[in-house]
Amino acid sequence: MADSLKTRVGRVIAGGVHALLDRLEDQAPDTVMEQTLREADSVIDDVRHELGIVAANRHLSQQQHASLNVQHARLAEQIEQAMAQSRDELVRAAVARQLDIEAQLPVLENTLSEHALQERELQGFVAALLAKKREMAEALSDFRKSRAAVAQTSARAGGASAEQRIGEVSDAFDRLYERQTGLTATTRGGTLQQAAQLRELDELVRDNKIAERIAQLKAGRA
């Protein structure tokens, strides 16, 4: 992944929630939220695009690796047949091709390893960015609650103007959040819980696959 994209990911992840709340004190909350979410969404889209490219390249490398292995095995059979018929010139040509294949395989294997590493890194970035978005949403929710509490206190002290302003801010945030994520204020909490459950399911499936692979390896050694 390009260093510039890594830098953008790092900037979004490193952006402290407290710094965001400090900005909310001085600016319109809906404007700040829109800017922050737009930047996060843009980075997520770019990382996912890069992930697609890496996955496609890994697939092509896998196909090439498999094809060369098939060729190598087929050449081995042909060498046996040519040797049985004392066709030394055919044996030489087939062995030469095998050597060429054997020179390419380690390079392809290294490329596959690099692609797999990049995929894991990019998947981790996407997960981190999505988590960061959830963190910001939760922090803003806490911010709204604290401001609402202040507004209620002010209203009891002698006026409802502060409460009215907080209500307008809250409504603006809800509209913005729904526009950015497709979630309403009443449904986003349940959706985040569902996302956590899906992540837990993914981890369970992966653990089962690991256990199955270890069992296969042990059975092969028995």
Side-chain angles (χ1 to χ4, degrees), residues 10 24 29 56 97-98 118 136 156 168 185 202-203 209-210:
L24 291 178
R97 177 56 183 158
Q98 276 191 326
Q118 290 175 356
M136 289 188 293
R156 287 195 297 269
E168 293 173 354
D202 287 339
E203 293 174 358
K209 288 182 178 179
I210 292 173

Side-chain angles (χ1 to χ4, degrees), residues 65-101:
H65 188 271
S67 176
L68 289 177
N69 276 307
V70 169
Q71 291 181 43
H72 194 279
R74 186 168 58 247
L75 285 167
E77 297 175 358
Q78 293 172 347
I79 289 171
E80 289 293 332
Q81 295 173 5
M83 291 179 65
Q85 299 177 22
S86 300
R87 298 292 301 275
D88 291 345
E89 74 282 2
L90 297 180
V91 172
R92 179 180 178 81
V95 169
R97 177 56 183 158
Q98 276 191 326
L99 291 174
D100 288 342
I101 291 174

Side-chain angles (χ1 to χ4, degrees), residues 11-45:
R11 184 168 61 247
V12 173
I13 299 301
V17 172
H18 294 299
L20 175 61
L21 295 182
D22 289 342
R23 292 168 61 194
L24 291 178
E25 293 287 354
D26 301 325
Q27 303 181 42
D30 56 339
T31 302
V32 175
M33 186 63 183
E34 185 173 7
Q35 177 184 352
T36 305
L37 286 179
R38 186 165 55 244
E39 180 181 5
D41 286 335
S42 175
V43 177
I44 291 172
D45 288 342

Side-chain angles (χ1 to χ4, degrees), residues 124-195:
F125 284 152
V126 171
L129 288 166
L130 291 175
K132 187 65 177 183
K133 285 185 62 179
R134 290 191 291 271
E135 177 187 339
M136 289 188 293
E138 291 171 1
L140 286 168
S141 177
D142 292 340
F143 171 77
R144 289 169 54 208
K145 291 177 182 178
S146 66
R147 291 291 297 271
V150 172
Q152 290 175 358
T153 301
S154 299
R156 287 195 297 269
S161 59
E163 184 176 0
Q164 181 179 1
R165 290 197 300 272
I166 292 301
E168 293 173 354
V169 168
S170 298
D171 292 341
F173 175 77
D174 287 338
R175 289 195 303 271
L176 176 67
Y177 192 92
E178 183 173 358
R179 185 166 68 251
Q180 290 288 337
T181 66
L183 304 178
T184 64
T186 57
T187 61
R188 63 172 175 259
T191 301
L192 292 177
Q193 181 181 6
Q194 183 183 38

